[in-house]
Amino acid sequence: MIARRSFLSTAAIGAGALFVAPGLALATVPTDRRFVFIIQRGAADGLDILRPTGDPAFAGLRGDLIGDDAGTRLDNMFSLHPALAEVGRMYGQGQALFVHAVASPYRDRSHFDGQNVLETGGAQPYVMRDGWLNRLVTMLPRSSDEAIAIAPMVPTALRGSVQVASFAPSALPHAADDLMTRVTALYADDPQLHTAWAAALETKGLATGANSGQDPASLGRLTAGFLTKPNGPRIAMLETLGWDTHTAQKGRLANQLRNLDAMLAALRDGLGPVWANTTVLVATEFGRTVAVNGTGGTDHGTGSVAMLVGGAVKGGRVIADWPGLAPANLYEARDLRPTGALDSLIAGAAAESLALDPERVGRGLFAQATRDRPMTGLLRI
């Protein structure tokens, strides 16, 4: 007998197929609002994404990485990386905001541990077994306990009591209709495989007509295709890889940000009028060192930047209790000192996005919610 998770991974070859990265996970809830979480795996450099060009110490620390183009000036302190052109336009339209110098409770600079803390909402790695996004779904009245992941594996943030199936696009050829019909007939009388196969076919039906390529723009359009289906999901998670820029950061980070920019623009365009009720949260497990290393990169750090984009966002602003980059102000003499709690941002954004009580969401999602109250006033809806 094939286990349900293994079966659905196999079924995805016929219903969709497998791809490496980035990935997407979705959960179905009965609401007209949409909430999307994008994780940047690898520790994205917030000091390069949203550059504190107004800090007197910044040019001396990061001048070689920035070069001649400091980016789009947002205010007297911050400039946006030039690769985020569409995000910059969203900012100008009041549909994007940034929260700088934020971090989860984790401080030890291990990717695996840091991502686990970020995705579970625990105070320490591996203390909590389920993910905050799965717990968020349980706070909503829903007609089904099913969720869906478009990824080789369901991300930790979406694992938990809400059951999750999977869909993963690929360049592999789709299974012929005749094969799908034969498999359906084969499993018709099997009490376990019939249910799993039916779920896989339902997922395939939701994806029909969507561009399911592997490039970032196609993934953005695919996500929008799911989120705009009348019977489709309303909560989504995407995971992007490759943010660990120990070497040659200038070119590598620019490419990463162009991909993220294209994904967000395609998601916006694909959602159409639904964009007005959509909130997208982008965050990473921790930041990177203030100083550049000997190979033109940066190493694992602490504080970073998170962003909110979407038609529901009360944007056009940067939220930061800026600690400064002078040596005496750094965390452990090397990192951007975090002055804001990422947990607080997530709880506030998720609650406001889905019209839930922020205090209840904070208590339900994060272990340290009693210390850091959810950030509010982030959205216009």
Side-chain angles (χ1 to χ4, degrees):
M1 187 64 64
I2 304 174
R4 185 177 192 276
R5 180 176 294 178
S6 298
F7 171 79
L8 286 176
S9 296
T10 303
I13 296 177
L18 196 63
F19 72 107
V20 178
L24 162 69
L26 303 141
T28 303
V29 294
T31 176
D32 290 331
R33 302 185 181 202
R34 276 72 167 175
F35 179 72
V36 181
F37 173 50
I38 300 177
I39 186 171
Q40 298 166 294
R41 298 195 187 278
D45 186 5
L47 289 171
D48 206 346
I49 295 172
L50 187 62
R51 301 163 170 176
T53 48
D55 190 304
F58 182 72
L61 291 164
R62 291 299 192 94
D64 292 340
L65 269 185
I66 292 177
D68 296 330
D69 190 353
T72 304
R73 193 69 175 263
L74 301 185
D75 57 26
N76 291 332
M77 176 62 74
F78 298 106
S79 299
L80 185 64
H81 194 290
L84 290 172
E86 288 297 326
V87 172
R89 293 187 183 94
M90 294 179 201
Y91 183 92
Q93 295 165 356
Q95 297 182 357
L97 70 80
F98 301 90
V99 184
H100 218 322
V102 293
S104 78
Y106 181 72
R107 294 290 181 272
D108 292 333
R109 305 185 183 96
S110 162
H111 291 305
F112 297 110
D113 292 353
Q115 289 172 27
N116 182 269
V117 170
L118 172 57
E119 293 187 78
T120 63
Q124 297 292 331
Y126 312 107
V127 172
M128 305 180 76
R129 300 182 64 86
D130 58 351
W132 65 261
L133 192 54
N134 193 286
R135 294 195 295 277
L136 178 65
V137 177
T138 68
M139 294 182 178
L140 293 159
R142 61 190 187 281
S143 57
S144 170
D145 65 352
E146 286 291 320
I148 180 171
I150 298 185
M153 295 181 64
V154 176
T156 299
L158 199 58
R159 295 180 188 176
S161 61
V162 176
Q163 194 174 12
V164 177
S166 63
F167 181 92
S170 163
L172 295 174
H174 289 277
D177 290 340
D178 180 63
L179 174 61
M180 302 293 282
T181 301
R182 289 173 183 269
V183 174
T184 300
L186 179 64
Y187 294 152
D189 297 324
D190 189 296
Q192 291 186 336
L193 294 183
H194 172 72
T195 301
W197 182 249
L201 291 179
E202 183 179 1
T203 299
K204 180 177 182 292
L206 284 174
T208 300
N211 187 327
S212 58
Q214 296 175 325
D215 63 283
S218 292
L219 188 60
R221 287 189 290 270
L222 177 65
T223 309
F226 275 98
L227 293 173
T228 52
K229 295 285 185 181
N231 61 333
R234 295 296 180 262
I235 292 179
M237 178 176 174
L238 296 107
E239 51 182 4
T240 59
L241 312 180
W243 299 94
D244 196 17
T245 51
H246 286 286
T247 62
Q249 177 170 309
K250 185 175 181 179
R252 291 173 59 196
L253 185 64
N255 186 60
Q256 288 288 110
L257 293 175
R258 278 191 291 269
N259 288 339
L260 177 62
D261 199 59
M263 181 189 295
L264 291 170
L267 176 63
R268 175 200 60 196
D269 296 344
L271 287 174
V274 175
W275 179 251
N277 293 324
T278 298
T279 305
V280 183
L281 169 66
V282 184
T284 192
E285 67 262 32
F286 48 74
R288 308 195 72 82
T289 52
V290 169
V292 180
N293 63 29
T295 57
T298 54
D299 300 319
H300 297 177
T302 307
S304 191
V305 70
M307 67 178 81
L308 288 175
V309 300
V313 175
K314 189 177 181 180
R317 55 194 172 131
V318 177
I319 300 173
D321 178 11
W322 189 245
L325 299 178
N329 297 330
L330 301 182
Y331 178 75
E332 295 187 350
R334 50 171 278 165
D335 301 339
L336 174 63
R337 180 179 298 278
T339 57
L342 187 53
D343 291 357
S344 174
L345 170 62
I346 294 173
E352 289 190 342
S353 178
L354 298 171
L356 298 171
D357 174 53
E359 296 294 337
R360 175 181 172 236
V361 171
R363 290 191 303 270
L365 299 193
F366 298 104
Q368 298 202 162
T370 55
R371 191 185 71 181
D372 301 306
R373 299 190 64 182
M375 192 178 296
T376 57
L378 300 168
L379 307 183
R380 64 177 82 251
I381 61 174

